[in-house]
Structure formats: structure tokens, C-alpha cells
Amino acid sequence: MPGAQTSRIREGSFVLSASIVFPPTREDRAVTDLESFHVYDTSLRDGAQQEGLSLSVHDKLAIAGHLDELGVGFVEGGWPGAVPKDTEFFRRARTELNLKTATLAAFGATRKAGARAADDPQVRALLDAETPVVTLVAKSHVGHVERALRTTLDENLAMIADTVAYLTEHGRRVFVDCEHFFDGYRTDPAYALRVVRAATEAGADVAVLCDTNGGMLPDDVRAVVAAVAAETGARLGMHAHNDTGCAVANTVAAVDAGATHVQGTVNGTGERTGNADIVTIVANLELKRALRVLPDGALQEATRIAHAVSELTNIVPYSRQPYVGASAFAHKAGLHASAIKVDPDLYQHTDPELVGNDMRLLVSDMAGRASIELKSRELGYDVSGDRELVTRVTQRVKDLEAAGYTFEAADASFELLLRTEAEGQRLSYFDVESWRVITESRPGGDALSEATVKLRAGGERVVVTGEGNGPVNALDHALRTAIGALYPEIDKLELIDFRVRILDAAHGTDAVTRVLVEMTDGKTSWETVGVGANIIEASWEALVDAVTYGLLRQGAAAIS
Amino acid sequence: MPGAQTSRIREGSFVLSASIVFPPTREDRAVTDLESFHVYDTSLRDGAQQEGLSLSVHDKLAIAGHLDELGVGFVEGGWPGAVPKDTEFFRRARTELNLKTATLAAFGATRKAGARAADDPQVRALLDAETPVVTLVAKSHVGHVERALRTTLDENLAMIADTVAYLTEHGRRVFVDCEHFFDGYRTDPAYALRVVRAATEAGADVAVLCDTNGGMLPDDVRAVVAAVAAETGARLGMHAHNDTGCAVANTVAAVDAGATHVQGTVNGTGERTGNADIVTIVANLELKRALRVLPDGALQEATRIAHAVSELTNIVPYSRQPYVGASAFAHKAGLHASAIKVDPDLYQHTDPELVGNDMRLLVSDMAGRASIELKSRELGYDVSGDRELVTRVTQRVKDLEAAGYTFEAADASFELLLRTEAEGQRLSYFDVESWRVITESRPGGDALSEATVKLRAGGERVVVTGEGNGPVNALDHALRTAIGALYPEIDKLELIDFRVRILDAAHGTDAVTRVLVEMTDGKTSWETVGVGANIIEASWEALVDAVTYGLLRQGAAAIS
């Protein structure tokens, strides 16, 4: 089976020869299954090493559920015995986790030097985790054995063989992570090979070659994996880190060279520059290498799951993330918009729907009619029939962008603009008469801001004052007080981001200021833009747009 | 130190064959120079296509200066004629840019179908930019020629040949970006090759093969680049996008296959998933491939420059970024901590100092003593002799960065901090008692700000009020009035930039605000930083630092 797969990889792609092979057709797709090719996720163990990341047992159980939906074959839950939280995770997993496709794996180390595996509490804890699979980390670099582990090269091999044998005798399936393998192979290839043999001869199913320090490039990996496969005949896996920016490429190179087990983490979390992003790996293998490594249909869940895991790990999603990032299929309009409309595949390396993502069009500097039409359709307005409207909107966008506005990151302001042009008047829940903000330093404390807003809403004139630790915060509080009774929906809206740019820096603080604010109703979020010579004025404009759009989304009826 | 660097490079690299070869010795090192190997940066053109990114002409000029310090061979400034801002950039570059090593390139398209290059205003604009190099984008994919460009295959070749010839006749050196080359080669290899020949036979120096949609994997790239090199003998370049997470690996693969020109952007900015990160590319080529592609010593500036460009583009630095990220050499203390202290090279793929970064053992927001000493020396203070001072400054910087300050782009604030720690008291030209700013909307006009500042200077108590079109502008005016008589040097100082970032977006406008201001005396400029819950307070802190530093530079004596 691995053999068949290897030859399939050769046919299915450009690898291993300088001759050009065309991409495989649907019919040539290799039919693999979760056993013949392992997708092994270590988000809960190695991924949790990321600086600033701390997962509760509850987080880990929730993430494990998402990984199962993604269809990975194995979920490494942590290091029982060494990390109390992980011991607890495996205990609760027995009753609280119902994995459909994934198998749970416990991670641990080989026995201590000079002791029996059976007497090593850390090894016992691996059995107590009661997982079908145990993944053992083993030293394969002579320098690490001698200087970090501080034992002999032979004792290290005995530690590996004993521990693997002990765990298999107790019915566990064992994978061995050969730590620092590539650096070790460079230092002493013969010893690195002895480690792989010690593991597999003792009963380990897979020897996972780890680029622990992440310093390898794809050619290095391919050459070493090919050599180890030829020398040992062992089933090989790949565990890559991204220190050269090549973690995904190194993993694909290992597969090209015969590895049939890949390790990674969702969103590439991990120590230093992180681990290989498992979502990018599987998308590349399925869409670029024609390997079926996930259950049918699972890949379409990738974007949703990657974002859900971001939420659980409380890490802001990376907009440039391959395949699943918010910008991954976003195109600046203008120049190519008309062509994109005719033939999107000319500008996409794959169909975003295959990974559950969407193509987005950004209204930018060179905005043209085509991009305005596409953007409007994306927002749910078909304006293609109304040439005059498109002309008016296009002109308006051009004028505003010339004045410093940008709509790329402010869809909500664009939608309000579109509605204004379409309906002939601006949607308005209140009419602002004037506002004032006073900010004062306070001896020994933070400065305080006080905002007064005068407006008309629901036929009434309202004058309110709000305080805040900043001027925009104070204006936000005043506005809420002013219209809260009339539009209780505003309680659902919250400002979550605020960005400021000076546009013509040539005149420093005399320059035009652009403010982008992001608001959420707890379900989705939207961005608006404001521009003005005065930063407070620009902020107020963006704030009013954000609240107006929010009330519109909440279905509030304008009361005049 | 260069010796150490060379030996580090020797240890850290493989040569370019699929068999295991030990790293090259010093003698084997390919000695290259800026001409035999091109490092071509397109941060200002393709990088500026990133969603939400909008650079002013001032930003672009500042970034170009940083790119020159990084030692890149070519800086692509933009598309004159098509983008007004870029036309302006090239105009101002003539007088305002003093590039030491980099050559400026203008980017543009081939002539329109059925017209003469000389009559094409877009082509004229390329000459008017007066750059030594012009980079032309040319279609090399039959589908794009017929469906997007909507002309014949032969006319497209004529458009390329004519435009290249016209520009070379006018003394320009021409590079040709072969757009969608890899997809085009897959669709119709013969035509893709004709495009390369049309460009080089007409006088283009380099045919840059572009993976415009970013869908390639390293083996695809290596195979195509090797085939094109064999077929055409042309000098080839690589332009990669990161849609498969392999932009850097694809670029290295192209170099392995014979490309001697690489394109990328600082921090990997760009459309969709971004362009190849030029810093990661050069670090890999220098440290893993033993190629010398930057001037000696330049690579050590990489971290500082990458972070400075992040601040200029107002993009949050990516902590997991290879080589230069804040986490790139961060190790969670614990398991390996002692071993790391004893023998850090066991746990690092390269020496962080080679890229100007530092290893961090404890979770902390800033690097250690080494960078403090380095930065101090850079500012003209040799503190290496005073261990206690270095300890105090390092601790102070760590505390401040934990509170949200950043010093990568605020050398002036760092220098004031350093002097304060060295002299035991803060340099002060005036003592602020309190301040207040009122900002008011005005019917039919821009909002107006009025600032009142109370301070003591030269033994006098001063209370002054200043107006401005923004709060910071008003505070600036008030401060100038308050101390202008005592320190006339302040008239030479002008605020030229002002950037704001919300640090904890989780609480929107309640979050901590970081303000960076840039001030100039007409000769040089300097940046300072302020942090606070209130944006006006943070701005005031940065403003006071900027003025204090400016007066210090002017040689003003503090009068108390």
C-alpha cells in the first residue's frame, strides 16, 4: 500500500524528476485511507508550546472535537504524567470525547537511563492514559544524547527498544518521534539510522523524523528521508518546524520522498516560528498532489475549523494564512476586475469552495465599474442592471478615495454609500447637531475625556454627556446614552478595534487622518472608515457609520 | 566576528544536490555580488497590494531607505503613470532619496495592442520616472493573452519585444516579469518559452518567472525553471506568492535550479497570502546555502529593519516570522532550559545574532543585554563596560515593552531612556504641570481643537493656549508658544508623522493606545513613542519626548 502510494505520487505530480508531468485527472486520484496515510495532529501538545498560548482542559477537549471534524487520523492530546493538565485531559477524554474518525495518542519519553521501563512512573502514566496509540520522543542526535540526556549512545538505544517493547506488550500501538533527527543525521548518519532501527525492530509502527530546530530546507529533507527509507525500509513520518519558512514544503518533500505520516498543528501554532500548518499540508496534498488524505468532504470544513480553533486558542486569525485566511482569495479590484468577472480561475490557484473559503473583491485605489458591480453582488445587491447607479457609485468611490477614504477594509461604509446612492438619501437613525470632547490630564492618574453630543432622534432634541478614558470612548458612551432608549439594539454593538493613519505625513499633525473602526454584534463584525483633518472628527464619522450599520443589521427601524 | 559568521554559515548549510554532501568549506563558498545575484525588493509595489495596506509617498520614501540599509540590489518603487502616488514617489525620489547600494526600478506594462511603444503614455511615464531599471510585466499564459488581454498570441510577443527594445534604446536596463508563467507553462510550454525568448532577444537582462496565483510547490518550480534555463539559456528570476505556504521554498528551489534573481517583500506583504518574504529568502540563501547575496554585515540589520518596516506599514509584526519574529528564537523555559543555557546551539538552527535577533529563554517581550549593548553602540554610547547600567536599561526596556512600548522604531525615546539611566535623572527642558484639550465640531466646517498647557520652564510658570485642526496639533502649538522664547531652537523642529495602534483590540477603545511620532529638524528625523489608555495622553508623551530629543540635538542647554 505505501508502495502503491509512492508510485502514485510520482505519477501525480512534478516530483523526483526534472521532466514536466501534467496534473493528474480526477480518475488518477490515489485512493488512500486514514491507515495508509497518517494525518497526525499535535496542536494539543507541540502546538500548545507557542509563546503566550495556554489551553485549559476544556479548550483541549473542544479542539479535539474540531480536529475530529477535520478528519485527521490521530489527535495527540498531550504528555500525561509530565503535565498534570494533560493527565486530566486523557481522564476526561474517555467519557467526554466521542471521536468519529480520529484516534487519540498520548505523548511521552523513553524510560530513564539505567532503569526498567516497567518501573518508570512517566512510562506508567502513558499506559494509564489508556490511548490506543503512544508516541515516544527519542533522541537521535549524538550531541543531544551525550550533552543533554547525558548517557551513552548504547544506553539511549536500549531505552528506546525497552520502552517500545514494553508499551507494545501492553497492547499499545507505538510511533517514535526521532528528535533532532536531521541535525543528528548530519552529525552522525550511522547513529541516526541505528535509532530508527532500534525503534522499528522493537515494534514501533512509524519512525517520525523530526526537524526539531526547524533549520532544514526541502532538498535537505527529501535527501535524508529518501536515504533513511532506502537504508531501513521503515515506515517514515515527518515533523517539521517553520524556522526557515519551509515547514509545509519540508513536509511535502518528505511525502514526495516516501513518508506516509505527516504531523502538524492547526494554524501552525507551536514553539518559536511554529509547527507545520496541518491545514495547509492536507490542502496541498489533496489539491496539488492528488492524494486523498482526509475523509470525503472534510476539506470543505477547513476554513470554518481553522477559525474555530483560532477562537479557542484566542489567537487572532492570520489573514494571510494559505487557503483559509480571510485574504487568501481576496483580489484588489481595478485592473483585473473585468477579467476576474469573466473567468475567476485565471486568478485563483484553486477553487476557494474546496477549502470552505470564498473569493472576495476589494474596492481599491483603481476602482472601476466592474469591481463596483462585483463588490455589490458580493454584498447582496445586484446593480448590474442600473448603469447610472453604477456610474454614480463608482464616481463617488473615486472621489472619496482621492480624499483619503479606503473601502478595502471598510465594507460597511461602502454598503451604506451604495444604499445612499440607490435610495437617493442616506439611511439615518439620528441627526447630529454638534459634539464636543474635553480631554484633561489628571495629576498622578490617567487623563480623562468627557464628550457632549447634541442630536435629534425620534422627533426629540437630546443633549447628553459621556465620560471615557479616551475621546472616542467618551463619544461612544455619549452616543449610546443619547439613542439607547429609542434604539435598545445598540446594547448589542461593541467597538472592538480602532486604527489610525496620517495620510499626508508631509505636514505631520496638519495632515489628513484616516480612522478605521471595527464593531461587532457578537456574531459578525464590520469595519467603517472616517477621514478628516481632525482625528476626533474622523473617529466620530467612522463611529456613526459603524453604529448606523449595526442598527441596520439588527433590523432597527429609523424613527424620525 | 566575520570569521565566526563564516564558520557558522559553513556548519549551517547543505549543497544543492539530492545526495548528502557535507557543508561547503570556506573555499567552496560562492562569492557573489549585487550584480551576479539580484536581490530585488517589491515591497513598495507588489507588497503594497496587501489588503488594508495603503502607503503614503512619505512612507514609501522611508521604506526605500530601510531597504537600502538591508542591502538589497534593487528597489521597485511602484507603477508611474498608472498610480499617481507612484509618479509622485519617483519625482521626489530624485531629490529626497540617497540610496547607497540599491538601484531604483520602475514597474509597468508592455505597450497597448496595435500601438507604437513611443505613443503609449503608460510607457512614456516609465521613461519619465528616470530610473536606471524598468521592470515590465508581460503575459506568458495563452489563456490570459486571449481572455484577459484579449489580443493575439503574436501581438502579445510583439508588444513585449517592441516595449523592451524601446526602453533599452532609451538607456534603460529592462527586466521582464513573465506573469502567470508557471500556470502558462503547464498550459502551453512552447508559448511560455517564446515569451522568454521575445523578452531576452529584444534586450531584457532578466526573465522573471512569476507564480502569480501562487499555486506551485517547490518541485514544480524546480522542474520548470531547470527546463526553461536549458531551453533558453536566459538569465532567470523568481517571483513567488505564498498561496500554498511555499513562497520561500519555491524561491530557494528556483535558485537551486539556476535562477540568479529573486523577488520578494519585507515581511511577506502582498495580495492574498502575500509575496515571498525577502528577509527569509536572503537569510536562507546566506545561512543555509552559503551564498553571499547581501553586503557584509547587512544581514545583522534584518530584524531591526523588518520591525521598522512593520511600524511604517502599520502592520502588527508577526511574532512567528522566521528569523526576525519576536518568537523566532524564544524557548519556553522548562524541560530544556538548563541544556539550552549550557549549549544553545543544540536548540537553535542558527545563531540569532546573524540576523540581529536574540535568543529568549523566558517569556518576555524584548531581547536581552546583547541587543541593548548593540543599540547603544549604534547610538554612540559604549555601555559594554558598565554591566550594572546594561542590566538596569535592559530591565527598564522589558518593563516598558510589557506595558506596550516599542523601541525598534523609536530610537529617540530609547536614547532618552538610556541617558536617564546613565545620568540618574531625566533630561528635562520644562516641567509639565497639566494640560487640557477641547475639540468641538463646527457647523459646515472642520472641527477645531484648543489646547491649554501649564508648565514651568526657566524658573517661570507658563500658562498658554494653542489652537489646531487636531488635538495633537493644538498641543504642539501650545507647547511651542510656552517654551519658544526660552528655547528658540524649537522653531527648527517639525512633526512629520504620527501613527496610532490599539494594542489590546479585545476592549476596543478601552484598550491601551501606542502612538509613534516622527519629528525632523530639516536634516535628520527621529521617532518617539508614547503609550496610554488615552490616545491624547499617549500622543502628548510622544510629543514631549520628540521635542526634548530635538532640543538636545540642537544643543540647547536646559534652563531650570
Side-chain angles (χ1 to χ4, degrees):
Chain A
M1 200 51 180
Q5 189 173 337
T6 310
S7 67
R8 164 63 55 225
I9 291 169
R10 284 205 184 77
E11 283 168 47
S13 64
F14 293 133
V15 300
L16 307 181
S17 87
S19 69
I20 310 305
V21 183
F22 283 97
T25 66
R26 181 150 191 69
E27 294 68 50
D28 338 312
R29 285 198 72 198
V31 177
T32 76
D33 57 61
L34 298 181
E35 182 42 43
S36 65
F37 192 94
H38 292 173
V39 177
Y40 184 104
D41 182 280
T42 181
S43 300
L44 301 180
R45 201 271 307 169
D46 217 19
Q49 292 298 306
Q50 172 159 338
E51 186 172 5
L53 181 58
S54 165
L55 299 175
S56 69
V57 174
H58 178 270
D59 294 334
K60 298 183 86 172
L61 291 165
I63 291 169
H66 285 297
L67 292 168
D68 189 45
E69 284 184 64
L70 182 59
V72 304
F74 302 88
V75 170
E76 186 175 80
W79 191 334
V83 183
K85 203 192 297 173
D86 292 355
T87 311
E88 168 77 359
F89 167 83
F90 287 108
R91 195 185 56 68
R92 289 178 56 180
R94 276 172 234 148
T95 54
E96 298 176 40
L97 260 189
N98 264 317
L99 301 180
K100 295 187 300 293
T101 57
T103 300
L104 211 54
F107 176 91
T110 53
R111 68 158 170 85
K112 289 204 173 28
R116 293 172 57 247
D119 303 334
D120 189 318
Q122 186 264 154
V123 176
R124 294 285 330 168
L126 290 171
L127 288 181
D128 298 342
E130 295 180 21
T131 56
V133 172
V134 171
T135 299
L136 287 177
V137 59
K139 301 256 180 232
S140 51
H141 184 307
V142 292
H144 281 266
V145 173
E146 290 165 345
R147 303 212 292 281
L149 199 58
R150 295 203 182 80
T151 185
T152 67
L153 298 179
D154 289 336
E155 174 63 6
N156 179 55
L157 295 174
M159 288 155 64
I160 296 166
D162 293 353
T163 317
V164 170
Y166 176 77
L167 291 168
T168 50
E169 283 156 21
H170 287 74
R172 300 300 188 273
R173 182 180 191 184
V174 180
F175 302 155
V176 172
D177 278 359
C178 303
E179 204 185 23
H180 298 285
F181 187 86
F182 294 86
D183 296 310
Y185 191 96
R186 188 183 291 175
T187 310
D188 184 341
Y191 187 74
L193 289 170
R194 286 176 68 196
V195 168
V196 171
R197 290 198 189 92
T200 50
E201 285 165 10
D205 276 357
V206 182
V208 183
L209 311 186
C210 303
D211 182 18
T212 308
N213 293 352
M216 296 296 127
L217 295 180
D219 284 353
D220 311 333
V221 170
R222 183 187 305 91
V224 173
V225 171
V228 174
E231 288 281 342
T232 66
R235 180 172 190 172
L236 300 179
M238 182 68 197
H239 175 106
H241 284 266
N242 201 38
D243 300 73
T244 63
C246 295
V248 167
N250 286 344
T251 308
V252 173
V255 172
D256 293 345
T260 58
H261 170 116
V262 293
Q263 298 193 354
T265 65
V266 174
N267 302 324
T269 53
E271 199 175 16
R272 306 190 311 278
T273 56
N275 291 57
D277 185 332
I278 201 150
V279 172
T280 313
I281 291 169
V282 295
N284 282 338
L285 293 177
E286 290 231 334
L287 304 177
K288 307 294 178 183
R289 288 291 192 245
L291 289 171
R292 192 173 294 151
V293 299
L294 295 181
D296 283 343
L299 191 59
Q300 273 115 301
E301 302 302 312
T303 298
R304 179 179 63 75
I305 290 168
H307 292 192
V309 172
S310 289
E311 290 306 317
L312 284 162
T313 51
N314 196 25
I315 290 173
V316 181
Y318 186 51
S319 65
R320 297 206 310 247
Q321 189 174 359
Y323 292 103
V324 300
S327 300
F329 296 94
H331 300 270
K332 282 219 179 184
L335 217 56
H336 300 308
S338 50
I340 290 176
K341 206 165 62 173
V342 176
D343 203 343
D345 289 351
L346 286 177
Y347 298 92
Q348 294 181 156
H349 71 101
T350 193
D351 178 353
E353 285 181 12
L354 295 175
V355 290
N357 208 342
D358 300 298
M359 187 179 105
R360 285 168 52 235
L361 210 77
L362 308 170
V363 178
S364 86
D365 282 359
M366 295 178 289
R369 301 181 55 90
S371 50
I372 295 293
E373 281 186 33
L374 271 186
K375 187 70 201 177
S376 305
R377 193 173 315 144
E378 187 185 307
L379 295 172
Y381 300 80
D382 182 5
V383 297
S384 50
D386 188 339
R387 291 188 52 77
E388 279 185 16
L389 174 59
V390 174
T391 307
R392 281 204 309 278
V393 173
T394 307
Q395 192 50 52
R396 188 96 182 94
V397 166
K398 282 190 169 155
D399 295 346
L400 287 168
E401 288 193 330
Y405 288 76
T406 177
F407 293 97
E408 258 170 48
D411 280 1
S413 287
F414 176 79
E415 188 169 339
L416 290 174
L417 181 159
L418 182 65
R419 292 178 60 104
T420 302
E421 293 301 328
E423 293 159 12
Q425 65 171 27
R426 179 175 164 73
L427 170 70
S428 164
Y429 289 93
F430 49 87
D431 301 318
V432 179
E433 182 181 301
S434 70
W435 52 266
R436 179 182 70 238
V437 189
I438 301 173
T439 304
E440 251 178 317
S441 67
R442 289 185 302 179
D446 286 339
L448 183 76
S449 293
E450 176 193 295
T452 301
V453 171
K454 303 178 182 179
L455 55 77
R456 300 191 66 83
E460 300 285 317
R461 180 164 184 273
V462 196
V463 178
V464 293
T465 295
E467 285 188 327
N469 58 11
V472 181
N473 184 232
L475 283 165
D476 182 39
H477 290 163
L479 180 58
R480 289 167 182 277
T481 312
I483 65 172
L486 205 57
Y487 304 110
E489 297 90 344
I490 198 170
D491 295 344
K492 295 208 187 68
L493 312 182
E494 190 199 359
L495 270 174
I496 52 175
D497 200 6
F498 173 76
R499 273 173 292 143
V500 177
R501 286 291 289 162
I502 300 301
L503 295 183
D504 178 5
H507 314 96
T509 50
D510 286 313
V512 174
T513 304
R514 174 168 64 213
V515 171
L516 289 164
V517 306
E518 185 176 5
M519 186 171 272
T520 182
D521 58 10
K523 296 183 204 64
T524 60
S525 68
W526 53 93
E527 283 205 322
T528 55
V529 58
V531 169
N534 191 302
I535 185 176
I536 310 293
E537 186 169 43
S539 306
W540 173 251
E541 182 185 16
L543 177 65
V544 168
D545 255 18
V547 167
T548 302
Y549 185 82
L551 292 174
L552 175 67
R553 286 188 62 92
Q554 295 294 318
I559 304 159
S560 57
Chain B
M1 194 50 75
Q5 182 176 348
T6 310
S7 69
R8 174 80 51 204
I9 290 168
R10 192 157 74 241
E11 286 159 32
S13 60
F14 268 144
V15 300
L16 322 177
S17 96
S19 63
I20 308 301
V21 181
F22 280 100
T25 66
R26 197 181 200 315
E27 293 67 48
D28 309 327
R29 277 196 72 197
V31 177
T32 76
D33 56 58
L34 297 183
E35 181 43 42
S36 64
F37 193 94
H38 292 174
V39 177
Y40 183 104
D41 182 279
T42 181
S43 300
L44 301 180
R45 202 271 308 169
D46 216 20
Q49 294 296 307
Q50 171 159 338
E51 181 172 7
L53 181 57
S54 170
L55 299 175
S56 69
V57 174
H58 177 81
D59 294 331
K60 298 183 86 171
L61 290 165
I63 291 168
H66 285 296
L67 292 168
D68 189 44
E69 282 184 67
L70 183 59
V72 305
F74 301 88
V75 170
E76 186 174 81
W79 191 334
V83 182
K85 207 190 296 171
D86 291 356
T87 312
E88 168 78 359
F89 167 83
F90 287 107
R91 194 184 57 67
R92 287 178 57 181
R94 276 172 233 145
T95 53
E96 298 176 38
L97 260 189
N98 254 321
L99 301 179
K100 294 187 298 297
T101 58
T103 299
L104 210 54
F107 176 92
T110 52
R111 67 157 171 85
K112 290 207 171 22
R116 292 172 57 246
D119 304 334
D120 189 317
Q122 187 263 153
V123 176
R124 294 285 329 167
L126 290 171
L127 287 180
D128 298 342
E130 294 181 20
T131 56
V133 172
V134 172
T135 299
L136 285 177
V137 60
K139 301 249 179 245
S140 50
H141 184 307
V142 290
H144 282 267
V145 174
E146 290 164 344
R147 304 212 291 281
L149 198 57
R150 296 205 184 79
T151 185
T152 67
L153 298 179
D154 288 337
E155 175 61 6
N156 179 54
L157 295 175
M159 288 155 63
I160 297 166
D162 293 354
T163 317
V164 170
Y166 176 76
L167 291 169
T168 49
E169 282 157 19
H170 287 72
R172 299 301 188 273
R173 181 179 191 184
V174 180
F175 303 154
V176 172
D177 279 359
C178 303
E179 207 185 20
H180 299 285
F181 187 86
F182 293 87
D183 296 310
Y185 192 95
R186 195 179 281 183
T187 311
D188 184 341
Y191 187 75
L193 289 170
R194 286 176 68 196
V195 168
V196 171
R197 291 199 189 90
T200 50
E201 284 163 10
D205 276 356
V206 183
V208 183
L209 311 186
C210 303
D211 182 17
T212 308
N213 293 352
M216 296 296 127
L217 295 180
D219 288 309
D220 312 335
V221 170
R222 182 187 302 91
V224 173
V225 171
V228 174
E231 288 282 345
T232 66
R235 178 172 190 171
L236 300 179
M238 182 68 196
H239 175 107
H241 284 265
N242 201 39
D243 299 75
T244 63
C246 295
V248 166
N250 286 344
T251 307
V252 172
V255 172
D256 293 348
T260 57
H261 170 117
V262 294
Q263 299 193 353
T265 64
V266 174
N267 302 326
T269 54
E271 199 173 16
R272 305 190 313 277
T273 56
N275 291 57
D277 186 332
I278 200 151
V279 171
T280 312
I281 291 169
V282 296
N284 282 338
L285 294 177
E286 291 228 334
L287 304 178
K288 307 294 178 185
R289 289 292 192 240
L291 291 171
R292 192 176 294 147
V293 300
L294 293 181
D296 283 341
L299 190 59
Q300 275 118 309
E301 302 301 314
T303 299
R304 179 178 62 76
I305 289 168
H307 291 208
V309 172
S310 288
E311 292 299 337
L312 281 163
T313 51
N314 205 20
I315 290 173
V316 182
Y318 186 52
S319 65
R320 296 206 311 248
Q321 189 174 0
Y323 292 102
V324 300
S327 300
F329 296 93
H331 300 271
K332 277 206 175 175
L335 207 60
H336 300 309
S338 55
I340 291 174
K341 286 205 193 84
V342 175
D343 204 341
D345 288 353
L346 286 177
Y347 299 92
Q348 293 181 155
H349 71 101
T350 192
D351 179 351
E353 284 185 15
L354 296 177
V355 290
N357 208 340
D358 289 277
M359 186 182 93
R360 292 184 300 130
L361 255 186
L362 305 170
V363 178
S364 134
D365 288 323
M366 160 88 186
R369 309 174 56 90
S371 62
I372 295 295
E373 287 188 24
L374 207 80
K375 198 171 232 166
S376 305
R377 198 172 313 132
E378 177 191 315
L379 295 171
Y381 300 79
D382 181 5
V383 298
S384 51
D386 188 341
R387 289 190 53 79
E388 275 184 19
L389 173 60
V390 174
T391 307
R392 280 203 311 279
V393 173
T394 305
Q395 192 50 53
R396 187 95 183 92
V397 166
K398 281 185 174 171
D399 296 345
L400 287 169
E401 295 214 333
Y405 289 76
T406 177
F407 294 97
E408 270 108 8
D411 281 359
S413 287
F414 175 79
E415 187 168 340
L416 291 175
L417 181 159
L418 182 64
R419 293 177 61 101
T420 303
E421 292 301 327
E423 292 158 12
Q425 65 172 25
R426 180 175 165 77
L427 171 69
S428 165
Y429 289 94
F430 49 88
D431 301 318
V432 178
E433 185 181 299
S434 70
W435 53 265
R436 179 181 71 239
V437 189
I438 301 173
T439 304
E440 251 179 317
S441 67
R442 288 185 303 179
D446 287 340
L448 182 75
S449 294
E450 176 192 296
T452 301
V453 172
K454 303 178 183 180
L455 54 76
R456 299 189 67 85
E460 301 285 318
R461 180 165 184 273
V462 196
V463 177
V464 292
T465 294
E467 287 189 326
N469 58 10
V472 180
N473 183 232
L475 283 165
D476 183 40
H477 290 164
L479 179 58
R480 289 167 182 278
T481 313
I483 64 171
L486 207 56
Y487 304 110
E489 297 90 343
I490 199 170
D491 295 344
K492 295 206 188 69
L493 312 182
E494 190 199 3
L495 271 173
I496 53 175
D497 200 6
F498 173 76
R499 280 193 303 286
V500 177
R501 178 173 297 159
I502 301 302
L503 294 182
D504 178 7
H507 314 96
T509 50
D510 286 313
V512 174
T513 303
R514 177 203 293 157
V515 171
L516 289 164
V517 306
E518 185 176 7
M519 186 171 271
T520 183
D521 57 11
K523 298 184 206 66
T524 60
S525 69
W526 54 92
E527 283 206 322
T528 57
V529 59
V531 169
N534 191 303
I535 186 175
I536 311 292
E537 186 170 41
S539 306
W540 172 251
E541 181 185 15
L543 176 66
V544 168
D545 255 18
V547 168
T548 302
Y549 185 82
L551 292 174
L552 175 67
R553 286 188 62 92
Q554 296 294 318
I559 304 159
S560 56

